[in-house]
Amino acid sequence: MASASLLKTSPVLDKIEFVKGQSLRQPSVSVVRCQPAAPSVLTVRASSYADELVKTAKTIASPGRGILAMDESNATCGKRLASIGLENTEANRQAYRTLLVSVPGLGDYISGAILFEETLYQSTVEGKKMVDVLVEQNIVPGIKVDKGLVPLAGSNDESWCQGLDGLASRSAAYYQQGARFAKWRTVVSIPNGPSALAVKEAAWGLARYAAISQDNGLVPIVEPEILLDGEHNIDTTFEVAKKVWAEVFFYLAENNVMFEGILLKPSMVTPGAECKERATPQQVADYTLKLLRQRIPPAVPGIMFLSGGQSEVEATLNLNAMNQGPNPWHVSFSYARALQNTCLKTWGGRPENVQAAQEALLIRAKANSLAQLGKYTGEGESEEAKKGMFVKGYVY
């Protein structure tokens, strides 16, 4: 019950006390104090939340568990609902999200859930706060804090992620509501370059977001997604990803971000979606782990991969291949579609299908839990879970 106790034992301040507390908190800039006994020894503290950030990150990066990404915006959630013939209303979004958070036993395999702002403040259809339902399952609530992608002027039709304005005050409010980690997604497009401008903008935005999040008690998930679009091969993806992650960690350090209190959400190193040369799970694992070893400090507690358009089974097979040997980090998952797809279709918006849909989600969560431990075999997977998957030149 690590995460549950984490939320319950955190002091609850009223509005006035909270504002006062914020004004007294140490800034995120490192504070250096000389020790009388040993003048050469330096004590550096990144944030007044430093210990809590480390504890939260380790709770999320716990063996056999990963993150359920259910932070789709209302517009994106509407597309998911439309695929099963449902209208995009708050009531329908509430019903689906209630189904997800209330799966019995989900906390055995899921350590964190990323929520959209609506969900963070929402109650289930039974009237219980979504956040409380998660905490009772030993699942840490998280929150999507970026404001989406917009065109990047001066680039090659690329984008940048907005949302830094007002982020500090929003993050403080999210913490008070029960969130303990945050997510910020920006993207890099290989077919569009990527331009040096786009890479630098992505890295700088992520670093500023991470520093602001830590200063307000939220563990930042750092996510520069290398988009799957394109005909490029796996070697091209590898080279671009190396460049992106070098830039990201340079600016994280420049902004005094504490590496022990962050989580990463990278793309796996795969060929472009339109590339004729497909990669096996072992090849994906080899390239991806090579990238991590060259770019990611061991101080980072967890690498929570996004599925990036892979099928449910494909994402699980690739994760399993990466956990066939020891890694200095917790190598796990932060999946949205690759956890929810079969669940959503099984539900179909019908109350009588809720239990079957929850069982479908639990099957996927357990499969990825086994993959995190390197014990997934792929036996007994449904055809629905294999859809879109490339195996030996054939598409399921």
Side-chain angles (χ1 to χ4, degrees):
M1 297 296 289
S3 60
S5 61
L6 169 65
L7 299 186
K8 291 175 182 175
T9 57
S10 298
V12 178
L13 308 177
D14 63 31
K15 187 176 181 181
I16 296 175
E17 288 174 329
F18 179 66
V19 172
K20 288 180 179 176
Q22 287 298 97
S23 66
L24 296 175
R25 291 197 185 283
Q26 297 292 336
S28 61
V29 177
S30 300
V31 178
V32 179
R33 298 186 179 89
C34 295
Q35 306 298 315
S40 61
V41 177
L42 301 178
T43 300
V44 179
R45 188 173 185 182
S47 162
S48 56
Y49 288 102
D51 293 341
E52 183 182 346
L53 292 168
V54 172
K55 183 178 179 182
T56 300
K58 287 182 176 178
T59 297
I60 296 171
S62 53
R65 299 205 296 165
I67 295 173
L68 169 62
M70 48 178 289
D71 59 318
E72 298 90 352
S73 67
N74 288 349
T76 302
C77 191
K79 293 177 183 177
R80 300 272 173 92
L81 294 174
S83 73
I84 57 170
L86 285 187
E87 207 179 333
N88 186 14
T89 64
E90 183 177 355
N92 285 336
R93 294 193 299 270
Q94 179 192 38
Y96 181 54
R97 287 160 176 166
T98 296
L99 182 159
L100 295 176
V101 303
S102 58
V103 174
L106 189 63
D108 293 340
Y109 314 115
I110 300 296
S111 55
I114 313 173
L115 310 178
F116 189 60
E117 187 175 62
E118 178 182 75
T119 317
L120 182 70
Y121 290 92
Q122 205 169 39
S123 295
T124 65
V125 291
E126 294 82 18
K128 194 166 187 176
K129 289 182 179 179
M130 298 271 190
V131 168
D132 292 343
V133 175
L134 290 169
V135 172
E136 287 173 4
Q137 292 235 56
N138 195 24
I139 298 173
V140 183
I143 176 70
K144 168 187 165 72
V145 299
D146 67 75
K147 293 294 184 180
L149 302 169
V150 291
L152 176 62
S155 71
N156 185 27
D157 293 325
E158 295 163 289
S159 61
W160 67 284
C161 188
Q162 58 187 347
L164 290 177
D165 288 351
L167 180 58
S169 59
R170 285 188 285 121
S171 297
Y174 297 149
Y175 182 93
Q176 288 296 95
Q177 185 63 18
R180 289 297 178 269
F181 71 101
K183 174 206 159 182
W184 177 286
R185 172 186 178 260
T186 192
V187 300
V188 172
S189 170
I190 292 178
N192 287 0
S195 68
L197 173 63
V199 173
K200 190 176 294 292
E201 173 59 44
W204 177 256
L206 283 166
R208 288 306 307 141
Y209 138 77
I212 293 167
S213 294
Q214 287 191 341
D215 205 40
N216 288 280
L218 302 179
V219 170
I221 287 183
V222 177
E223 181 185 357
E225 179 179 354
I226 311 295
L227 293 175
L228 201 61
D229 306 332
E231 300 178 355
H232 53 276
N233 61 24
I234 195 169
D235 291 288
T236 300
T237 305
F238 179 80
E239 292 303 322
V240 170
K242 270 206 310 182
K243 182 189 301 182
V244 171
W245 281 103
E247 201 91 351
V248 167
F249 272 92
F250 173 78
Y251 284 117
L252 287 172
E254 287 283 289
N255 281 272
N256 300 305
V257 172
M258 182 176 65
F259 291 169
E260 296 85 350
I262 68 174
L263 295 167
L264 303 185
K265 187 170 179 176
S267 312
M268 297 178 191
V269 180
T270 65
E274 290 82 41
C275 179
K276 294 179 181 179
E277 297 177 33
R278 305 312 303 168
T280 65
Q282 190 57 55
Q283 288 173 317
V284 171
D286 290 344
Y287 273 86
T288 304
L289 292 175
K290 182 180 178 182
L291 170 68
L292 296 182
R293 287 192 293 268
Q294 291 185 8
R295 288 292 181 264
I296 313 302
V300 175
I303 316 292
M304 321 301 285
F305 282 99
L306 57 90
S307 54
Q310 301 174 59
S311 75
E312 291 177 328
V313 171
E314 191 174 16
T316 309
L317 284 169
N318 289 340
L319 178 64
N320 185 71
M322 284 187 275
N323 282 295
Q324 294 306 298
N327 292 306
W329 328 267
H330 174 80
V331 175
S332 193
F333 60 93
S334 177
Y335 294 164
R337 181 184 174 278
L339 280 173
Q340 295 182 42
N341 188 54
T342 301
C343 169
L344 178 67
K345 292 186 176 180
T346 302
W347 175 50
R350 299 175 182 274
E352 64 269 24
N353 293 341
V354 166
Q355 184 176 345
Q358 291 184 327
E359 288 171 359
L361 177 59
L362 203 62
I363 286 171
R364 291 262 45 87
K366 184 176 182 179
N368 285 289
S369 170
L370 289 170
Q372 198 288 309
L373 299 171
K375 298 178 180 179
Y376 173 73
T377 63
E379 294 178 4
E381 289 285 9
S382 68
E383 290 306 308
E384 182 61 47
K386 295 177 182 177
K387 280 186 179 177
M389 179 176 155
F390 288 90
V391 177
K392 294 183 181 178
Y394 295 93
V395 182
Y396 280 82

